[in-house]
Amino acid sequence: MSKVAIVTGAARGIGAATAQRLAQDGFAVAVLDLKAEDCADTVASIESAGGRALAVGADVSDAEQVQAAVDRIAAELGPPVVLVNNAGVTRDNLLFKMSDADWDIVMNVHLRGSFLMTRAAQKHMIEAKWGRIVNLSSVSALGNRGQANYATAKAGLQGFTKTLAIELGKFGVTANAIAPGFIVTDMTKATAERIGEEWEPYVAKRAAAIPVARAGQPEDIAHTVSFFVSENAGFISGQVIYAAGGPRN
Ligand SMILES: NC(=O)c1ccc[n+]([C@@H]2O[C@H](COP(=O)([O-])OP(=O)(O)OC[C@H]3O[C@@H](n4cnc5c(N)ncnc54)[C@H](O)[C@@H]3O)[C@@H](O)[C@H]2O)c1
């Protein structure tokens, strides 16, 4: 069986760390993001550690680009049997100020994007009679002020994950979700900026509210992905792990 993984939104942050970790675990990794050139650093870090990676530019919310990307990955790296739906955006605002566009882009990237990527990739997993799908949810799925769009999308991904687990289990494919808490990335840096807080004190304040008394790092989530993808995790499907340094925050 081919050991090929796709990680979406892998130019930076959690996606980049996950791509690096899966490469260490022995997978050839398709590093997918909006622009192929933005994937160069992730690809270089994998190759310099002796791994195999391919930079792929695609918008996960565009059906044609997704099909072309998955076809290219299958041809150049081999049939993908692992998919990590990680690409994401935020457009935070209180409900009364949230625009139609803020709602639509968040739904399109997280929900439509995960749907399109999974539909295109599952064919290869079913042919291989083995597969692993990991979707990035969030603690925001439990509700978060200013994130009506994002919380809805992240809760939706949990329902998507459980349904994939039910439909694809008999083909040797598991589907699970990770709901990270506060992770230090460009996404959370942008949040601090939007609410007018200095980055370092903001991280310290968030860390103080987390039971393990530190902020999460992209590698914390990459480790959780690695666990779900591992051979011995084959009896775990349709689950959500809150990787948040505590029960939910
Ligand atoms: N950082 C956190 O605290 C946190 C917490 C919970 C969940 N998450 C989720 O984890 C995932 C990764 O978050 P991150 O913090 O690394 O974010 P990030 O903003 O650092 O990286 C997201 C990546 O997704 C890419 N992307 C956006 N739209 C895309 C599209 N249409 N097609 C392809 N790629 C696209 C971006 O270009 C970027 O490289 C997201 O789904 C996010 O919602 C993050």
Side-chain angles (χ1 to χ4, degrees):
M1 185 187 71
S2 73
K3 280 200 85 177
V4 175
I6 304 176
V7 183
T8 71
R12 65 186 200 201
I14 293 169
T18 298
Q20 287 158 350
R21 175 59 188 262
L22 291 178
Q24 279 169 25
D25 292 348
F27 287 90
V29 184
V31 176
L32 188 150
D33 211 292
L34 281 169
K35 290 188 187 146
E37 56 266 34
D38 292 344
C39 299
D41 286 353
T42 309
V43 168
S45 70
I46 289 171
E47 287 177 344
S48 68
R52 199 163 154 235
L54 175 72
V56 180
D59 177 345
V60 295
S61 66
D62 182 300
E64 274 179 32
Q65 289 183 39
V66 163
Q67 194 57 56
V70 173
D71 289 349
R72 185 179 154 221
I73 292 161
E76 292 189 29
L77 282 184
V81 290
V82 171
L83 171 65
V84 184
N85 285 310
N86 166 82
V89 292
T90 52
R91 291 291 185 278
D92 298 352
N93 234 326
L94 291 174
L95 182 66
F96 77 101
K97 287 194 280 189
M98 189 171 283
S99 70
D100 296 9
D102 290 339
W103 179 268
D104 289 343
I105 189 174
V106 170
M107 294 306 144
N108 282 338
V109 175
H110 296 273
L111 290 178
R112 184 178 162 82
S114 298
F115 158 64
L116 292 175
M117 285 298 307
T118 306
R119 190 179 60 180
Q122 54 82 30
K123 166 179 175 281
H124 299 289
M125 301 183 198
I126 284 167
E127 280 170 11
K129 295 194 167 46
W130 193 94
R132 299 281 188 260
I133 299 163
V134 182
N135 297 317
L136 267 291
S137 179
S138 166
V139 293
S140 294
L142 301 168
N144 197 26
R145 188 178 173 80
Q147 291 197 314
N149 49 2
Y150 185 82
T152 302
K154 292 308 199 184
L157 279 171
Q158 296 190 11
F160 181 60
T161 302
K162 289 168 193 287
T163 302
L164 295 176
I166 291 166
E167 290 192 13
L168 302 179
K170 66 176 173 227
F171 303 105
V173 179
T174 68
N176 291 286
I178 302 170
F182 178 72
I183 312 295
V184 170
T185 68
D186 288 344
M187 183 179 273
T188 41
K189 275 183 193 145
T191 305
E193 235 174 78
R194 187 180 56 79
I195 61 176
E197 293 204 24
E198 293 285 326
W199 177 240
E200 297 295 337
Y202 179 69
V203 173
K205 189 174 80 182
R206 295 294 303 263
I210 297 171
V212 301
R214 68 169 176 89
Q217 297 296 329
E219 292 72 22
D220 291 312
I221 306 308
H223 184 72
T224 317
V225 173
S226 175
F227 164 69
F228 277 139
V229 167
S230 65
E231 186 61 42
N232 291 339
F235 203 57
I236 301 167
S237 197
Q239 300 304 306
V240 182
I241 285 189
Y242 282 79
R248 64 150 288 167
N249 55 333

